[in-house]
Amino acid sequence: MSAEIPEAASAEEQKEMEDKVTSPEKAEEAKLKARYPHLGQKPGGSDFLRKRLQKGQKYFDSGDYNMAKAKMKNKQLPTAAPDKTEVTGDHIPTPQDLPQRKPSLVASKLAG
Amino acid sequence: MLPGIGTLIQDMLWCFCQMKGTIEFGSTEADIISTVEFNHTGELLATGDKGGRVVIFQREQESKNQVHRRGEYNVYSTFQSHEPEFDYLKSLEIEEKINKIRWLPQQNAAYFLLSTNDKTVKLWKVSERDKRPEGYNLKDEEGRLRDPSTITTLRVPVLRPMDLMVEATPRRVFANAHTYHINSISVNSDYETYMSADDLRINLWNFEITNQSFNIVDIKPANMEELTEVITAAEFHPHHCNTFVYSSSKGTIRLCDMRTSALCDRHTKFFEEPEDPSNRSFFSEIISSISDVKFSHSGRYIMTRDYLTVKVWDLNMENRPIETYQVHDYLRSKLCSLYENDCIFDKFECVWNGSDSVIMTGSYNNFFRMFDRNTKRDVTLEASRENSKPRAILKPRKVCVGGKRRKDEISVDSLDFSKKILHTAWHPSENIIAVAATNNLYIFQDKVN
């Protein structure tokens, strides 16, 4: 830490500088905010929790799918970009988009 | 054989005993172990995995000839507990991953355990069959029905010995009681009831009744926009059947008494450590979220695990823990990248030894930590294939935080964050531990001199 703190620096700025030096956590926070300036005003609050509560949500809707198919008889249904792995509400998923869930028929390797 | 009473960490050496699971390629995500639990005598050890399967190991009887080699755990039974499901009404995919297994105390020849995924709890009965009836009148030996007109004599079927068969059958299915994801189950000391907890609610069940459960805690706000915390873990008191605790994502623990009211939304005790507001950062709340809460065997203390520490609380003192142990404080300067790779949300569990003198929890790089509450000494050990020779003594590991790294130390930047030990278990009365390292189960014992 530099010994030549300019006379004009306010007490607040000084404390902020001290915080960054003494608290690794605050330094990490500064790093994160620098990378993601729009990161939630409510840290650890509703956004995280709602994401946690919504785990497992898949958006295939057979009604939407069939209606879209009926409207666009000759055209292709809007599909997700090939690299998108998560099915969201933005496009009309096809049954092929949803990952196949097969039950585990193979025995656990711990029992081998 | 020394019971685990008052053994000091510096006197205790841990040896490799067994490793279960494959070491070659070919292990899939389904093989990731998601829960480990000894039964009440330590004779059985159950594991659940992401593929919905349960494997139960049984300790073999010790032979008088090999006193130095204590009983090994061998496969006793394995079954598919849960299957993946799709809730079409809510467009919700339900994972088959086994979140928790809890054993019931043994009351007859059969063993009973509860296993749960995100939505459904099941009671499994594991029983042995070593006799088979033979000599039926109406069926032949292959089970085909005999023509009654050919039967001229009557005989009494007899039981004959057969090769031991271990069967697991689902005896109860407790479904459709949780809107959110189940994180905990806990068997009550009355052996008649148990609770299941999800993010916002806790339900009380009777083992005999599957179509009803009592809601005993409901923290869902009327307006979901106001949601500030969720339930992260819950457990019944080991002796008092009216008492239970639940932990939250805000780092608090509530103790509730079911005698006070039917709905225990108002806690009897509230455990929270005061925080210095000047230390608060973006990460504060996330790393204070409690991932596990466990009563001591004595019932006097509770232990909580948050991202960086393990804390022991005295039930009689709500305003701060009596002990705080740093698990991996060097991660504090890595929180930014741990947030980006989601590791900051990893849910580590913690366990007591049989005498409540030592506590254990996992970390990254397949490290796990033990803290002796009496001597205040701690040790870091590693579950690795390199240390997998029979009776090989585990060497303590050390993480180098800064400056010069010694030969045996590992630097924080070299830690493998994909190798996380989230689940461990300690035998109820002996110094035998089970450590789940992704898809492998390690069993360690203390060295017998």
Side-chain angles (χ1 to χ4, degrees):
Chain A
M1 182 164 144
S2 167
E4 321 157 89
I5 298 170
E7 300 285 339
S10 69
E12 206 182 275
E13 279 172 29
Q14 267 188 28
K15 178 163 195 322
E16 222 179 86
M17 284 196 316
E18 278 166 9
D19 277 347
K20 283 184 190 149
V21 172
T22 55
S23 166
E25 212 173 298
K26 292 239 165 84
E28 290 293 298
E29 180 177 11
K31 223 192 279 179
L32 194 69
K33 291 227 160 104
R35 286 187 207 175
Y36 308 99
H38 300 298
L39 201 53
Q41 265 59 49
K42 286 184 281 179
S46 304
D47 292 338
F48 292 129
L49 299 182
R50 258 191 258 122
K51 204 168 95 162
R52 177 190 173 131
L53 297 179
Q54 273 184 10
K55 171 188 132 189
Q57 201 85 40
K58 302 277 184 232
Y59 289 96
F60 179 74
D61 185 315
S62 61
D64 281 349
Y65 174 70
N66 285 306
M67 283 188 56
K69 233 169 61 166
K71 274 189 200 147
M72 305 158 85
K73 290 178 203 158
N74 300 320
K75 295 182 224 164
Q76 282 279 60
L77 283 171
T79 51
D83 57 330
K84 234 186 183 182
T85 48
E86 212 180 290
V87 176
T88 69
D90 286 348
H91 74 284
I92 310 287
T94 63
Q96 287 81 4
D97 285 348
L98 295 177
Q100 292 300 317
R101 298 311 311 274
K102 293 189 195 103
S104 298
L105 300 172
V106 182
S108 166
K109 295 191 180 65
L110 292 184
Chain B
M1 173 118 48
L2 294 173
I5 296 172
T7 12
L8 305 177
I9 283 222
Q10 67 266 30
D11 294 345
M12 193 155 58
L13 295 171
W14 289 93
C15 310
F16 171 84
C17 182
Q18 295 170 275
M19 188 193 78
K20 306 284 185 191
T22 181
I23 55 173
E24 311 107 27
F25 290 133
S27 77
T28 63
E29 207 174 298
D31 295 311
I32 295 174
I33 300 169
S34 49
T35 185
V36 190
E37 189 83 356
F38 281 100
N39 76 338
H40 294 260
T41 60
E43 183 204 351
L44 299 181
L45 175 62
T47 61
D49 67 20
K50 229 176 165 201
R53 300 164 300 196
V54 172
V55 181
I56 301 176
F57 302 92
Q58 183 187 45
R59 196 171 182 197
E60 72 184 30
Q61 299 292 336
E62 288 167 42
S63 66
K64 299 185 192 87
N65 303 328
Q66 295 183 308
V67 173
H68 64 276
R69 208 179 71 123
R70 281 185 266 163
E72 283 193 340
Y73 284 85
N74 299 317
V75 179
Y76 179 66
S77 172
T78 178
F79 53 92
Q80 184 79 36
S81 172
H82 287 71
E83 306 264 354
E85 290 173 62
F86 195 87
D87 182 338
Y88 294 99
L89 200 61
K90 296 179 189 159
S91 286
L92 202 68
E93 187 175 43
I94 301 168
E95 272 192 298
E96 67 275 36
K97 172 167 79 90
I98 308 295
N99 292 334
K100 287 280 169 10
I101 288 174
R102 290 288 182 264
W103 290 94
L104 270 66
Q106 200 176 1
Q107 293 176 300
N108 53 37
Y111 302 102
F112 287 88
L113 62 81
L114 287 175
S115 69
T116 187
N117 69 348
D118 282 340
K119 294 287 181 182
T120 304
V121 185
K122 294 188 186 180
L123 176 70
W124 287 88
K125 175 180 179 182
V126 183
S127 51
E128 293 181 6
R129 199 198 287 242
D130 61 357
K131 291 187 256 294
R132 159 179 67 212
E134 281 175 24
Y136 284 109
N137 291 290
L138 298 175
K139 286 191 285 186
D140 66 18
E141 295 311 318
E142 272 84 56
R144 289 186 296 244
L145 291 173
R146 291 167 73 189
D147 179 359
S149 60
T150 64
I151 300 171
T152 52
T153 58
L154 213 56
R155 56 186 178 172
V156 178
V158 291
L159 290 174
R160 294 216 187 282
M162 59 181 258
D163 288 338
L164 178 67
M165 204 167 77
V166 182
E167 306 175 301
T169 45
R171 301 297 292 169
R172 305 272 187 275
V173 177
F174 305 92
N176 302 320
H178 286 279
T179 307
Y180 303 98
H181 298 107
I182 297 173
N183 52 58
S184 312
I185 45 176
S186 179
V187 179
N188 203 351
S189 52
D190 63 9
Y191 304 162
E192 286 186 5
T193 57
Y194 77 92
M195 69 155 125
S196 55
D198 67 30
D199 292 312
L200 297 177
R201 299 192 178 102
I202 302 181
N203 294 331
L204 181 72
W205 301 83
N206 181 300
F207 281 110
E208 299 303 314
I209 301 167
T210 58
N211 60 359
Q212 277 185 63
S213 71
F214 285 107
N215 175 241
I216 53 177
V217 173
D218 188 338
I219 66 167
K220 184 177 177 190
N223 180 0
M224 284 297 270
E225 300 283 317
E226 292 162 24
L227 183 68
T228 55
E229 67 183 324
V230 295
I231 297 169
T232 52
E235 196 181 49
F236 268 118
H237 190 283
H239 315 131
H240 304 311
C241 55
N242 53 290
T243 303
F244 65 92
V245 293
Y246 69 91
S247 59
S248 85
S249 53
K250 277 184 149 177
T252 65
I253 306 102
R254 288 170 177 80
L255 183 141
C256 300
D257 186 335
M258 293 195 290
R259 297 171 300 188
T260 58
S261 67
L263 189 59
C264 295
D265 278 358
R266 292 227 304 270
H267 53 263
T268 303
K269 293 197 182 191
F270 182 70
F271 299 84
E272 184 178 34
E273 184 168 24
E275 192 200 6
D276 182 357
S278 65
N279 281 341
R280 197 157 177 83
S281 75
F282 173 83
F283 303 109
S284 298
E285 193 173 311
I286 305 173
I287 62 173
S288 72
S289 176
I290 292 173
S291 48
D292 195 14
V293 66
K294 291 262 172 48
F295 272 101
S296 63
H297 293 91
S298 62
R300 272 202 63 188
Y301 306 102
I302 47 175
M303 166 168 55
T304 58
R305 174 73 154 97
D306 52 57
Y307 191 59
L308 298 177
T309 72
V310 191
K311 295 179 176 154
V312 177
W313 306 73
D314 186 321
L315 284 192
N316 298 315
M317 188 162 77
E318 298 166 58
N319 60 355
R320 58 180 168 82
I322 56 169
E323 294 153 33
T324 300
Y325 301 96
Q326 301 295 331
V327 182
H328 38 217
D329 197 61
Y330 46 77
L331 295 183
R332 213 175 277 269
S333 56
K334 295 272 166 221
L335 291 177
C336 182
S337 39
L338 293 170
Y339 176 88
E340 289 177 306
N341 63 18
D342 274 353
C343 282
I344 205 174
F345 300 105
D346 284 337
K347 299 185 178 60
F348 292 94
E349 292 172 4
C350 53
V351 291
W352 299 87
N353 74 339
S355 59
D356 298 336
S357 59
V358 182
I359 57 184
M360 172 169 69
T361 189
S363 178
Y364 294 105
N365 210 72
N366 278 355
F367 287 171
F368 57 100
R369 305 262 284 136
M370 289 185 192
F371 303 92
D372 188 314
R373 297 179 59 218
N374 299 320
T375 65
K376 302 302 181 208
R377 290 169 83 129
D378 60 82
V379 69
T380 304
L381 300 172
E382 181 181 2
S384 78
R385 295 169 197 166
E386 285 75 47
N387 295 336
S388 300
K389 294 195 198 72
R391 291 189 296 286
I393 294 177
L394 297 183
K395 211 170 73 149
R397 302 305 313 262
K398 195 138 168 34
V399 176
C400 160
V401 182
K404 230 166 153 215
R405 185 180 74 88
R406 290 208 193 93
K407 196 179 79 134
D408 290 341
E409 293 179 355
I410 181 166
S411 76
V412 183
D413 297 310
S414 307
L415 294 174
D416 188 343
F417 290 95
S418 69
K419 292 191 183 163
K420 39 194 111 182
I421 292 183
L422 304 173
H423 312 288
T424 61
W426 202 310
H427 189 287
S429 53
E430 294 180 41
N431 285 333
I432 303 172
I433 55 176
V435 175
T438 315
N439 61 315
N440 291 122
L441 182 71
Y442 288 83
I443 299 173
F444 302 110
Q445 296 181 0
D446 69 343
K447 184 168 160 54
V448 180
N449 294 310

